[in-house]
């Protein structure tokens, strides 16, 4: 009887204790996740500032790809640790994955059929319009659809080297 | 009997602890596993490369279309100047993997367009309406923001993988079938229509303003230049104002810009506007 009373008295604990442990476990898990909370600089340079304001003191200019340990986040700013230095970075410049490298494959894709598509587009689109695939609005756009690839080549021919852009930046903004 | 009760109690106790173990450890393992899976997926650059290639190829087609409707203003000094401002902004943006191109269009109406992949067009009219380099940078920053935030890419679901509601764009580009080509052409049509007629979604426009202000401040230009430019530009000159149902009015844009200026204390920055360099490089102003 005494044991029955003990069992009955401790019965709610059978339900409460798992939830307490579950709560503590979740807390520990989220702390573990926080410990792994690394963000990477995506821009060529990002300012590490003394406080969450563009008017605050510049501590360091961080390079692209630098991994930062997140200490705290606000709506637009992230407090990070970089080489044992604490500072704030604009949230817009950070991402959980390392930045995608500029890759020559990206700029000359093997399956670029732009020219092929250009030759085909007109007849294909006309056929589609006949079959009712295209709305009136699209048909209107289609009248002007043959893109000007010669002009596009001219646009693409103007390239600015990164060093040149930094020089331009320094000359004008001088920060 | 007493011993039997003790055994039963012990059995209950053991079952209880087993329940605790199952309830706590199993979800924990599952959570940890999914956490690492997400990290692994995010670090997989190959996954993103397909999307970026699709975006660039799609953007190239849209850019060619824009150039089919508008003519280039071929002034080497001005085009180079626009590219220098643009490249400087891009270096401070989050999408350095793209090769941005900037061009001037021979159109007296103030306007600017951005295609996925980083083709930015600004009209002669938009340059003429600017007063200094910071304002010019503000227009370009707004357009760069449409690209960095992937507004068209997200709206039209342009992807290099098979996750799109329509099949992956890479497959279209590699495909020879008429259906695939029609679908691609339709997507390009939609992008052109969005740029020239319907405009971006209200939230996308407001986000582009927000990102542009931050980008200007991060680069070192006076971020207030965006508001100054919009204040000077008559609202009727803005083609977006023709769709008040789906696009922000200048009043809405100013409300957001003022909030950002106030909360970030942007008015205290005293960053340059560079009027002299602007006048030197924009012969249009003379």
């Amino acid at each position: 009887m005494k044991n029955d009373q003990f069992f009955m008295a401790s019965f709610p604990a059978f339900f409460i204790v798992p939830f307490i442990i579950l709560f503590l476990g979740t807390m520990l898990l989220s702390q573990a996740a926080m410990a792994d909370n690394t963000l990477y600089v995506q821009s060529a340079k990002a300012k590490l500032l003394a406080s969450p304001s563009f008017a605050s003191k510049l501590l360091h200019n961080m390079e692209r790809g630098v991994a930062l340990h997140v200490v705290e986040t606000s709506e637009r700013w992230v407090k990070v640790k970089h080489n044992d230095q604490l500072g704030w970075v604009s949230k817009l410049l950070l991402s959980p994955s390392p930045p995608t490298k500029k890759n020559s494959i990206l700029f000359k894709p093997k399956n670029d059929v732009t020219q092929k598509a250009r030759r085909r587009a007109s007849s294909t689109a006309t056929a589609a319009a006949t079959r009712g695939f295209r709305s009136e609005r699209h048909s209107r756009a289609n009248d002007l659809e043959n893109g000007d690839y010669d002009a596009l080549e001219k646009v693409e021919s103007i390239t600015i080297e990164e060093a040149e852009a930094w020089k331009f930046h320094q000359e004008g903004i001088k920060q | 009997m007493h011993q039997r009760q003790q055994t039963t109690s012990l059995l209950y106790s053991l079952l209880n602890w087993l329940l605790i173990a199952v309830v706590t450890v199993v979800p924990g393992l599952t959570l940890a596993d999914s956490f690492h899976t997400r990290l692994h997926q995010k670090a997989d650059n190959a996954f993103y490369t397909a999307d970026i290639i699709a975006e660039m190829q799609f953007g190239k087609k849209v850019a060619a279309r824009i150039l089919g409707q508008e003519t280039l203003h071929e002034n080497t000094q001005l085009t180079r100047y626009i590219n220098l401002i643009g490249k400087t902004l891009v270096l401070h943006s989050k999408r350095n993997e793209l090769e941005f191109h900037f061009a001037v269009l021979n159109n007296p109406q103030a306007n600017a367009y951005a295609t996925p992949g980083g083709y930015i067009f600004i009209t002669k009219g938009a340059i003429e309406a600017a007063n200094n380099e910071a304002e010019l940078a503000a227009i370009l920053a707004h357009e760069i923001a449409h690209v960095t935030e992937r507004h068209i890419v997200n709206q039209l679901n342009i992807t290099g993988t098979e996750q799109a509601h329509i099949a992956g764009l890479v497959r279209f580009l590699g495909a020879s079938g008429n259906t695939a080509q029609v679908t691609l052409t339709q997507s390009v049509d939609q992008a052109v229509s969005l740029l020239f007629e319907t405009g971006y979604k209200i939230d996308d426009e407001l986000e582009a303003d927000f990102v542009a202000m931050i980008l200007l401040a991060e680069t070192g230009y006076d971020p207030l230049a965006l508001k100054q430019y919009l204040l000077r530009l008559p609202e009727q000159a803005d083609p977006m104002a023709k769709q008040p149902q789906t696009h922000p009015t200048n009043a809405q844009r100013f409300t957001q810009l003022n909030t950002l200026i106030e909360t970030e204390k942007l008015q205290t920055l005293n960053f340059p506007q560079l009027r002299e360099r602007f006048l030197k490089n924009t012969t249009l102003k003379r």
Side-chain angles (χ1 to χ4, degrees):
Chain A
M1 187 65 186
K2 198 178 177 182
N3 275 321
D4 280 351
Q5 277 174 348
F6 167 76
F7 176 70
M8 291 308 288
S10 62
F11 190 74
F14 288 0
F15 294 97
I16 295 163
V17 170
F19 287 108
I20 292 170
I21 293 175
L22 180 66
F23 175 73
L24 292 173
T26 312
M27 290 286 283
L28 284 170
L29 261 175
S30 56
Q31 277 201 345
M34 284 287 282
D36 265 4
N37 203 354
T38 302
L39 293 177
Y40 297 85
V41 174
Q42 303 295 308
S43 52
K45 279 186 184 164
K47 290 172 185 166
L48 183 70
L49 298 161
S51 61
S53 160
F54 286 108
S56 75
K57 190 186 165 195
L58 174 67
L59 301 175
H60 189 69
N61 256 320
M62 297 177 296
E63 299 286 324
R64 185 169 186 247
V66 164
L68 300 167
H69 172 70
V70 176
V71 178
E72 186 185 331
T73 55
S74 71
E75 195 186 345
R76 300 185 187 106
W77 297 89
V78 184
K79 189 177 187 179
V80 296
K81 197 172 187 180
H82 172 61
N83 293 341
D84 290 331
Q85 192 172 29
L86 284 172
W88 294 82
V89 194
S90 168
K91 201 183 247 181
L92 287 175
L93 305 180
L94 304 174
S95 166
S97 49
T100 309
K101 286 178 186 169
K102 262 192 184 170
N103 187 330
S104 58
I105 295 167
L106 285 179
F107 300 107
K108 289 178 182 172
K110 284 179 185 172
N111 59 344
D112 184 357
V113 292
T114 304
Q115 298 302 318
K116 200 160 55 180
R118 179 190 174 191
R119 284 197 301 273
R120 272 198 205 114
S122 184
S123 58
T124 306
T126 309
T130 315
R131 291 185 209 121
F133 284 129
R134 303 161 64 82
S135 69
E136 196 177 328
R137 196 182 69 193
H138 288 154
S139 298
R140 189 183 147 194
N142 187 46
D143 295 335
L144 304 157
E145 91 170 321
N146 288 320
D148 188 340
Y149 286 89
D150 294 332
L152 189 68
E153 257 181 45
K154 283 181 191 168
V155 170
E156 289 176 336
S157 70
I158 297 163
T159 52
I160 304 287
E161 293 299 320
E162 208 170 303
E164 210 177 347
W166 284 122
K167 188 170 171 272
F168 176 81
H169 182 252
Q170 281 297 312
E171 284 169 0
I173 293 165
K174 291 185 185 118
Q175 283 197 332
Chain B
M1 190 69 182
H2 180 72
Q3 198 176 7
R4 194 179 159 189
Q5 277 177 344
Q6 269 186 335
T7 313
T8 313
S9 178
L10 188 68
L11 193 64
Y12 271 118
S13 190
L14 279 171
L15 281 169
N16 182 39
W17 284 108
L18 187 67
L19 178 71
I20 291 166
V22 170
V23 166
T24 56
V25 176
V26 171
L29 286 174
T30 317
L31 268 174
D33 187 47
S34 66
F35 176 68
H36 287 297
T37 308
R38 285 201 309 275
L39 274 185
H40 169 73
Q41 283 170 346
K42 280 184 176 177
D44 187 0
N45 283 335
F47 173 79
Y48 289 115
T49 303
D51 289 336
I52 295 165
I53 291 173
E55 180 184 346
M56 290 169 69
Q57 294 194 352
F58 181 77
K60 192 170 182 156
K61 288 182 77 66
V62 178
R65 233 14 137 73
I66 291 173
L67 290 166
Q69 299 191 38
E70 301 265 359
T71 54
L72 269 181
H73 177 70
E74 298 189 52
N75 176 324
T76 312
Q77 188 191 357
L78 181 63
T79 307
R80 198 179 142 67
Y81 178 56
I82 297 291
N83 272 276
L84 278 164
I85 301 171
K87 179 87 178 184
T88 305
L89 290 164
V90 168
L91 285 172
H92 293 88
S93 82
K94 67 179 180 185
R95 294 204 64 194
N96 267 250
E97 81 276 12
L98 296 178
E99 189 67 51
F100 279 76
H101 298 283
F102 300 85
V104 182
L105 299 174
N106 205 8
N107 186 334
Q109 277 193 323
N111 223 327
Y113 310 101
T115 78
Y119 293 90
I120 312 283
F121 299 98
I122 181 166
T123 62
K124 240 168 61 171
I127 299 170
E128 279 167 351
N131 249 351
N132 53 54
E133 187 173 306
E135 287 186 4
L136 204 47
I139 309 163
L140 298 178
H142 177 95
E143 297 307 319
I144 290 168
H146 281 307
V147 180
T148 60
E149 303 314 307
R150 295 180 167 91
H151 288 155
I152 292 182
V153 169
N154 290 339
Q155 198 168 329
L156 302 183
N157 204 7
I158 305 302
T159 169
T161 63
E162 297 294 325
Q163 293 173 351
H165 68 279
I166 46 176
L169 190 73
V170 160
R171 209 175 68 184
F172 300 161
L173 293 163
S176 56
N178 276 358
T179 312
Q181 289 297 337
V182 168
T183 316
L184 171 61
T185 307
Q186 282 178 340
S187 294
V188 174
D189 283 351
Q190 282 180 312
V192 173
S193 167
L194 186 150
L195 291 170
F196 284 113
E197 295 170 37
T198 57
Y200 291 94
K201 288 189 278 191
I202 194 164
D203 287 347
D204 289 351
E205 281 297 348
L206 292 174
E207 186 178 44
D209 279 347
F210 164 75
V211 174
M213 290 270 270
I214 301 293
L215 185 53
L216 287 168
E218 187 70 32
T219 307
Y221 284 112
D222 181 3
L224 271 60
L226 178 60
K227 187 185 162 187
Q228 281 171 8
Y229 184 79
L230 287 172
L231 276 170
R232 195 170 332 103
L233 196 72
E235 194 162 358
Q236 59 271 26
D238 182 355
M240 288 182 302
K242 289 173 188 164
Q243 296 93 25
Q245 301 296 315
T246 52
H247 299 282
T249 59
N250 272 359
Q252 282 175 287
R253 296 176 80 177
F254 289 137
T255 303
Q256 185 196 242
L257 293 177
N258 288 336
T259 307
L260 187 62
I261 290 166
E262 205 173 305
T263 53
E264 296 294 325
K265 297 183 176 59
L266 298 178
Q267 73 277 20
T268 64
L269 291 181
N270 202 23
F271 284 179
Q273 295 204 334
L274 305 176
R275 180 162 165 81
E276 277 184 30
R277 185 160 78 174
F278 171 77
L279 291 174
K280 192 179 155 191
N281 285 282
T282 53
T283 48
L284 297 171
K285 296 297 284 186
R286 292 172 188 169

